[in-house]
Amino acid sequence: SLSCRLYCEEEKDPKRRSCQTVLAEALDVVVRSFAPILPHLAEEVFQHLPYKKDSEGVFRTGWINASSAWKKPGIEEAIEGACAMRDSFLGSISGKNALEYEVVVVIEPGLLFELMEALQAEETSSVSQLNEIMMASQTTLLSELPKETPADAEIIKGTFLINLEGGDICEESSYKVIALPTAKAKCPRCRRYTSSSSNTPCPRCLKVIAGQGST
């Protein structure tokens, strides 16, 4: 999902820029963490950072002081819940290419559904955070099983325990995951199965390409 954001989105797309921001923050923390035991390596990495620094050297930056902006209530539980569903999905396809599948996630209305909505506002998406975590070509988030579910579809059931506010909010929610082989073709640009033809980029990539041509 990182490579898709970095190499497939438009240069100034918020999803791409936010990915770069997280990578820069992670690198900054790692470099300052090992600086006391690997000072020369840390300084060399610091001097080659491809963006403006607030200090001339790694030892002048002070110790790690992560911003409170990185701590968002519920986001950790949302990611952990999505990862649990991803494990159910990947386990159901037995080592096959996850990108060759579309995933349907069914969660009854409640806290877990609201957390997943924070990762995917649309009912169906191929570019949402939830779909990136699921590693599929497309993810659909529903509150009940779709009527058109194939009779032979394997429905994987699971539960996830949500623990918020230090245990003040505790709720166990159930979910269902359905993996459906995609009928779409592989996009020659992003390699996801979201295109109408193997010779034509998918709608997302066509939009990016058109934007690059107009700049």
Side-chain angles (χ1 to χ4, degrees):
S1 60
L2 284 179
S3 60
C4 190
R5 282 195 182 199
L6 291 173
Y7 299 114
C8 297
E9 299 291 354
E10 291 185 79
E11 182 179 0
K12 295 184 179 181
D13 187 283
K15 292 191 290 292
R16 183 176 185 273
R17 296 304 301 274
S18 65
C19 181
Q20 290 178 310
T21 299
V22 170
L23 291 174
E25 181 72 12
L27 179 60
D28 178 75
V29 170
V30 170
V31 170
R32 285 198 276 171
S33 296
F34 68 64
I37 56 175
L38 295 169
H40 298 293
L41 176 59
E43 186 62 34
E44 183 176 0
V45 172
F46 186 84
Q47 293 302 328
H48 285 83
L49 293 177
Y51 50 82
K52 184 178 179 180
K53 282 89 69 177
D54 295 330
S55 180
E56 295 180 357
V58 67
F59 289 100
R60 295 180 180 273
T61 62
W63 189 236
I64 302 166
N65 185 24
S67 171
S68 59
W70 293 103
K71 183 62 176 178
K72 294 185 177 181
I75 193 65
E76 182 178 352
E77 287 72 19
I79 299 298
E80 289 180 351
C83 287
M85 296 173 199
R86 179 193 62 196
D87 292 344
S88 297
F89 160 55
L90 295 178
S92 71
I93 61 175
S94 303
K96 297 178 182 177
N97 184 1
L99 288 174
E100 296 180 3
Y101 289 83
E102 298 177 6
V103 179
V104 178
V105 177
V106 182
I107 309 171
E108 293 184 358
L111 186 54
L112 182 59
F113 187 86
E114 292 175 5
L115 290 175
M116 292 306 105
E117 281 189 313
L119 301 178
Q120 179 168 303
E122 310 89 348
E123 182 176 285
T124 299
S125 177
S126 62
V127 297
S128 68
Q129 289 178 294
L130 179 58
N131 188 65
E132 289 181 348
I133 294 171
M134 297 301 291
M135 300 170 61
S137 276
Q138 178 177 287
T139 296
T140 298
L141 178 62
L142 301 172
S143 58
E144 58 183 16
L145 279 173
K147 296 180 180 179
E148 62 274 14
T149 302
D152 59 345
E154 182 180 7
I155 302 176
I156 308 300
K157 298 180 180 180
T159 59
F160 181 73
L161 180 63
I162 301 170
N163 195 330
L164 293 171
E165 304 294 337
D168 292 339
I169 300 176
C170 191
E171 180 179 304
E172 186 174 55
S173 300
S174 60
Y175 63 84
K176 300 181 181 71
V177 174
I178 309 171
L180 302 172
T182 183
K184 296 182 179 179
K186 181 192 289 186
C187 171
R189 182 174 181 271
C190 69
R191 305 299 180 185
R192 289 186 174 179
Y193 289 77
T194 52
S195 180
S196 58
S197 167
S198 59
N199 298 319
T200 305
C202 66
R204 187 271 300 272
C205 287
L206 284 174
K207 181 179 178 180
V208 173
I209 294 171
Q212 292 173 342
S214 62
T215 56

